[in-house]
Amino acid sequence: MAPLSKAGTALAALREDLAGAVLTPDDAGYDEARTVFNGMIDRRPAVIAQCESTADVVTAVRFARDLDLKVAVRGGGHSVAGMSLNDGGLVVDLRRMHEVTVHPAAGAAHIEGGATMSHLDRACQPYGLATTGGRASTTGVGGFVLGGGSGWLDRKFGLAVDNLLGVDLVTADGETVTATAEDHPELFWALHGGGGNFGIATSLTLRLHELPDMSIAMLMYAPEHGPEAARRFRDIVEGGPVEASGGVIYLTAPPEPFVQPHLVGTLLCVVLLTYAGPEEPMRKLAEPLLRLPHEVEIVNAIPYADLQCMIDDPPGMRNYWSAEYLTGLPDELVQVFCARAHSMPVPTGSQHILFPLGGAIADGPAEYPVPYRSSRWAVHPFGVWADPADDEGCIRWVKDVREDVRPWSSGDVYLNFTGDEGSERVAAGLGEENMRRLRAVKRQYDPDNVFRFNHNIQPS
């Protein structure tokens, strides 16, 4: 850290030069600005730079380098490990940079680095276009895409990163670089899963696809019907078209109008069948699920942007998540998965999730550092709760889920679903064979590991 006199002069210059706001602990709005999705995270950066342009990001990075400050980057703020913040360093807050420009004729969208999935989906909806997005509308597009990007449309349109056409970055030296398949191709390769290790993504360009219709069948079952519902869902997806996706989700029944009062606060098994197409063929696919006794039935067409908001969780809850990617889904594993639901803390906001891969995921470009393409299914224990007294039990449950399914694990993982689980898990999420190549890119663009608040790739 630089001497106080230098720091004070540099901070005054930053306030003068930045078009956006500069917040320090004494400023009004500082505590709100440092609040992230996970309520367990309580970090106090020295400076928060709320950038409004690429020029602001360049100025902020050069400020941090001049004072030898740690740098964290905030887009959506959904990192379960709180990687959007640090203690005593600089946070480059991109949330004011959220414009999305859709180019229908080109089938592409230009997205600023602070945009959320809701910004992207709502901008594309009027054109009947979409691309693979996260399963929550408040997720930041930048971190989601550069980390790989899994969502309801990935079996049809591939992972989000498979639709990446270009990235505008601010590097650790405060320089700007545009990475595409033609320009800086090695950097472009590394950005297909390597996350924020190589710079700050001030904008991304994504390929869009025609999606005039979207439909769902959401059925809620008593827990005793969970195993049969899961098996039927598995058979529908594995034997059906790539338009079919969704998941099996155990959760606490919410106080919604469509849930009978006596069920609210109890454990239910939800099967969500999503279909990238109209309602009629989806209904035919869903018939085996509809024949099984169920408590709630919602079967209809829905705009994709509305589907994206369906399972949004409120910010400020305590969160701990993880995932295991699986080689298949035999009946024995279905039983193990469903049995573990009964130890999920209820009532909480936690969700016990099982979802399919395959389709365009498996058929996507094999050269990118996303080694979980060949996995068939994934388990995603999503711990969400309010009371700090429940921390130990909820975290233990997430770890127990992983332990249960380990005999069927492919060994790979999607890092966006995990927190700080150590360097071995980072390698599992990027591929052991890719790590040497990724380190070389890291050494070229960030040899001092300025961008370390991420699933970090060490430069050496």
Side-chain angles (χ1 to χ4, degrees):
M1 178 70 180
L4 289 178
S5 58
K6 181 180 179 182
T9 301
L11 180 60
L14 181 66
R15 291 187 189 274
E16 179 70 24
D17 295 341
L18 213 73
V22 176
L23 300 175
T24 61
D26 295 331
D27 291 320
Y30 170 83
D31 283 329
E32 182 180 358
R34 71 182 182 89
T35 300
V36 292
F37 182 77
N38 187 356
M40 297 180 75
I41 307 301
D42 183 19
R43 294 178 182 158
R44 299 184 64 83
V47 182
I48 301 173
Q50 297 183 319
C51 299
E52 293 189 353
S53 66
T54 296
D56 274 1
V57 176
V58 169
T59 299
V61 169
R62 290 177 178 174
F63 164 83
R65 296 306 307 272
D66 190 39
L67 297 184
D68 195 26
L69 290 175
K70 298 176 290 185
V71 178
V73 182
R74 176 175 183 152
H78 265 250
S79 162
V80 69
M83 296 171 183
S84 307
L85 294 177
N86 58 36
D87 282 313
L90 170 75
V91 171
V92 178
D93 187 338
L94 301 175
R95 283 178 291 173
R96 295 188 179 195
M97 301 170 58
H98 59 249
E99 184 175 346
V100 176
T101 305
V102 178
H103 302 283
H110 182 265
I111 305 122
E112 289 191 326
T116 64
M117 290 313 316
S118 182
H119 292 125
L120 174 59
D121 297 333
R122 296 294 177 191
C124 294
Q125 188 78 50
Y127 302 99
L129 298 171
T131 194
T132 300
R135 295 173 177 88
S137 68
T138 52
T139 302
V141 175
F144 166 78
V145 172
L146 300 185
S150 168
W152 306 126
L153 298 177
D154 53 14
R155 283 173 37 82
K156 174 67 172 175
F157 299 137
L159 298 170
V161 79
D162 296 342
N163 295 288
L164 184 62
L165 301 174
V167 185
D168 295 319
L169 283 182
V170 174
T171 69
D173 291 332
E175 302 296 331
T176 57
V177 171
T178 297
T180 67
E182 293 77 31
D183 297 316
H184 303 278
E186 191 69 0
L187 174 61
F188 189 60
W189 170 85
L191 292 168
H192 285 71
N197 271 282
F198 313 104
I200 301 174
T202 55
S203 66
L204 303 90
T205 302
L206 294 177
R207 181 184 300 109
L208 302 179
H209 304 267
E210 292 187 3
L211 187 69
D213 298 292
M214 191 79 196
S215 53
I216 63 166
M218 185 174 74
L219 298 112
M220 295 186 174
Y221 302 90
E224 58 264 30
H225 295 301
E228 180 60 25
R231 287 191 291 269
R232 293 188 184 193
F233 174 74
R234 174 198 63 194
D235 295 344
I236 288 168
V237 173
E238 290 189 345
V242 294
E243 285 80 5
S245 189
V248 178
I249 309 166
Y250 281 89
L251 47 67
T252 301
E256 297 286 351
F258 54 81
V259 177
Q260 298 179 47
H262 74 279
L263 295 173
V264 173
T266 68
L267 181 69
L268 289 181
C269 175
V270 178
V271 174
L272 175 63
L273 175 64
T274 64
Y275 188 77
E279 181 179 344
E280 184 177 351
M282 182 274 298
R283 279 186 174 271
K284 292 180 180 178
L285 282 176
E287 284 177 1
L289 295 169
L290 292 164
R291 289 196 298 267
L292 190 66
H294 50 275
E295 307 294 329
V296 174
E297 176 183 323
I298 298 174
V299 183
N300 54 242
I302 183 173
Y304 173 66
D306 291 349
L307 168 62
Q308 288 286 75
C309 304
M310 276 186 56
I311 60 171
D312 283 359
D313 286 301
M317 302 291 284
R318 303 175 77 79
N319 283 254
Y320 185 85
W321 330 321
S322 194
E324 286 291 336
Y325 276 59
L326 310 170
T327 57
L329 189 60
D331 287 350
E332 183 183 0
L333 177 50
V334 170
Q335 289 298 132
V336 168
F337 169 80
C338 293
R340 178 54 66 186
H342 294 275
S343 66
M344 185 178 77
V346 173
T348 66
S350 298
Q351 298 178 13
H352 187 36
I353 305 169
L354 173 71
F355 63 87
L357 284 79
I361 304 168
D363 294 338
E367 68 269 20
Y368 294 143
V370 281
Y372 45 86
R373 284 191 189 280
S374 60
S375 299
R376 301 283 301 280
W377 289 81
V379 167
H380 179 30
F382 192 81
V384 181
W385 65 100
D387 189 346
D390 293 332
D391 285 3
E392 183 177 353
C394 290
I395 292 172
R396 181 70 263 162
W397 170 74
V398 170
K399 293 180 177 179
D400 286 345
V401 173
R402 285 191 59 203
E403 190 62 32
D404 283 351
V405 304
R406 195 156 286 152
W408 297 275
S409 174
S410 67
D412 305 317
V413 67
Y414 171 46
L415 293 175
N416 282 356
F417 281 165
T418 71
D420 184 0
E421 297 182 2
S423 58
E424 289 186 3
R425 284 283 270 180
V426 173
L430 296 170
E432 289 281 1
E433 294 182 4
N434 295 318
M435 287 301 290
R436 181 179 300 176
R437 187 175 172 187
L438 288 164
R439 289 191 191 99
V441 179
K442 180 74 168 179
R443 283 193 298 272
Q444 180 178 353
Y445 290 93
D446 185 16
D448 299 322
N449 204 13
V450 171
F451 302 119
R452 71 191 73 165
F453 292 91
N454 45 45
H455 291 293
N456 195 230
I457 299 166
Q458 294 287 331
S460 61

